[in-house]
Amino acid sequence: IDFYQSFLNTHADSNEVRLNLAKLLVTQKQYDAARKEYPIILQNTKNTDAKNEAEITAVVGLLSFQSGDYTAAEAYLQQALSLGFKDIEQIYIYLAQVSEKLNHIDAANVWYSKIKGGQHYLEAQINWANLISRTQSVDKAIEKLDAIEDLNAAQQIIVIQTEASMLAKAKRNQESFDLLDKAVKNLPNTPELVYDYALAAERVQQFDVMEAELRKVIAQKPDFAAAYNALGYSFADRNVKLNEAVSLIEKGLAITPNDHYMLDSLGWAHFRKGNLDKAINYLQQAYKASQDPEIAAHLGEALWVK
């Protein structure tokens, strides 16, 4: 950030650098500082011959969205539309998501309904179904997804995973498991589908199925970090195979270092083994990264026992 700002002090019209600065400020949650850059970026864009004003305005809209400034995001995205942004349906999706955040449910429905086909159609239908699931009912959302026609196998899998996730969130775990059980028997098995099936099996306490399927995922896709973590955490939570639990979670962490979910899992596995100092160390790292209630509960328990 200091480097970019120093450069811009002498090259104020370098828009690409200023845009990178704004993106970096947003990732660092320095939202007010980022917001000050947007008018300069847009003014610089108007002063060039690049003919990319619509694209830059859309990017500023997305940065506003990521910053939680949904009213500004909506204004920028609509401005991008009026400036002739080429991928209109992508903007419709963003505007629908902004409307959801503003709790303008009718407006979100309208934006999603504008996407009648094309490359964004399935994404829009899934987002729309998730909205229906939250605001109306899971059954209506599934009905909407089931009505989509002409899906290839990969798209069918995405739809089934979405439906299973909705059912799981509604605590309809057996229905979620049954749906995925049918899918793994009738569709090409992707690691992601089998992973979801394994987690659904755990929710209905079919632990043998879960373990077998996660081992299958790990063999099929050795860099699938979440699969190592899921199996290791399940062992730790059930207080079984604790040495293997630690080993599995460590493999997952080696693939995605500093992941707070995996740090939590590793801390919990060490807690189960009675390694309280190690447990507290990992759980504190996890909690520092994410103030998740479950991590807080694990850390509180480890500190209590210590």
Side-chain angles (χ1 to χ4, degrees):
I1 289 171
D2 289 344
F3 175 79
Y4 279 148
Q5 286 174 332
S6 173
F7 180 84
L8 288 167
N9 286 338
T10 52
H11 303 80
D13 59 349
S14 181
N15 224 26
E16 192 173 343
V17 172
R18 195 175 295 279
L19 193 55
N20 279 329
L21 171 62
K23 290 176 182 176
L24 185 56
L25 288 167
V26 169
T27 64
Q28 295 300 307
K29 296 184 169 56
Q30 296 184 35
Y31 301 136
D32 289 340
R35 200 174 294 121
K36 289 174 185 172
E37 302 297 333
Y38 302 157
I40 305 171
I41 290 166
L42 294 174
Q43 188 57 50
N44 283 349
T45 304
K46 284 180 181 161
N47 295 339
T48 68
D49 299 323
K51 310 292 184 193
N52 63 346
E53 189 178 353
E55 287 73 17
I56 297 298
T57 305
V59 171
V60 170
L62 283 179
L63 290 173
S64 298
F65 180 82
Q66 291 164 9
S67 305
D69 190 352
Y70 303 121
T71 303
E74 186 173 47
Y76 285 127
L77 290 167
Q78 291 199 343
Q79 188 181 343
L81 266 185
S82 68
L83 289 166
F85 188 83
K86 288 177 185 173
D87 193 351
I88 293 173
E89 292 181 341
Q90 181 65 75
I91 295 290
Y92 289 162
I93 288 178
Y94 293 148
L95 281 166
Q97 291 172 329
V98 168
S99 297
E100 287 190 53
K101 292 292 187 183
L102 291 168
N103 207 30
H104 298 162
I105 304 306
D106 289 343
N109 286 323
V110 170
W111 288 118
Y112 284 132
S113 71
K114 287 177 178 287
I115 302 164
K116 309 292 186 186
Q119 62 173 329
H120 300 299
Y121 180 70
L122 183 59
E123 179 190 356
Q125 292 299 302
I126 286 172
N127 287 359
W128 197 359
N130 276 314
L131 175 61
I132 291 167
S133 176
R134 292 194 301 274
T135 58
Q136 298 180 45
S137 75
V138 172
D139 293 317
K140 282 189 178 178
I142 289 175
E143 191 178 311
K144 178 161 194 59
L145 290 174
D146 282 344
I148 303 173
E149 298 177 341
D150 301 323
L151 297 176
N152 60 36
Q155 291 171 326
Q156 286 178 51
I157 288 168
I158 292 167
V159 166
I160 286 167
Q161 287 177 294
T162 303
E163 292 178 349
S165 174
M166 289 173 180
L167 288 165
K169 284 175 185 168
K171 306 295 184 191
R172 291 160 63 173
N173 292 326
Q174 189 61 51
E175 291 173 76
S176 178
F177 173 77
D178 291 343
L179 180 63
L180 289 165
D181 185 57
K182 186 178 176 184
V184 295
K185 288 169 181 166
N186 295 306
L187 289 167
N189 279 197
T190 64
E192 291 74 19
L193 177 63
V194 176
Y195 174 79
D196 284 1
Y197 175 51
L199 297 194
E202 183 180 38
R203 286 193 292 270
V204 294
Q205 300 193 329
Q206 292 202 27
F207 299 117
D208 290 346
V209 173
M210 180 216 68
E211 183 177 341
E213 296 301 317
L214 285 176
R215 292 194 190 282
K216 192 189 296 181
V217 171
I218 289 166
Q220 196 176 351
K221 192 175 179 182
D223 63 345
F224 199 150
Y228 293 99
N229 181 62
L231 185 54
Y233 181 79
S234 179
F235 288 158
D237 208 42
R238 290 182 286 128
N239 213 9
V240 300
K241 302 182 183 178
L242 294 178
N243 289 334
E244 188 181 5
V246 169
S247 174
L248 284 163
I249 299 163
E250 284 176 342
K251 284 177 184 172
L253 260 176
I255 297 164
T256 55
N258 304 317
D259 182 288
H260 58 271
Y261 291 116
M262 296 188 196
L263 288 167
D264 172 59
S265 298
L266 190 54
W268 194 237
H270 278 297
F271 173 77
R272 292 297 206 191
K273 283 171 65 70
N275 303 331
L276 294 180
D277 290 333
K278 278 187 176 180
I280 290 167
N281 177 38
Y282 285 121
L283 292 169
Q284 283 176 332
Q285 287 180 55
Y287 190 69
K288 187 178 178 183
S290 173
Q291 283 73 57
D292 182 282
E294 188 171 353
I295 297 173
H298 287 163
L299 177 57
E301 191 163 349
L303 289 167
W304 178 266
V305 173
K306 175 73 174 175

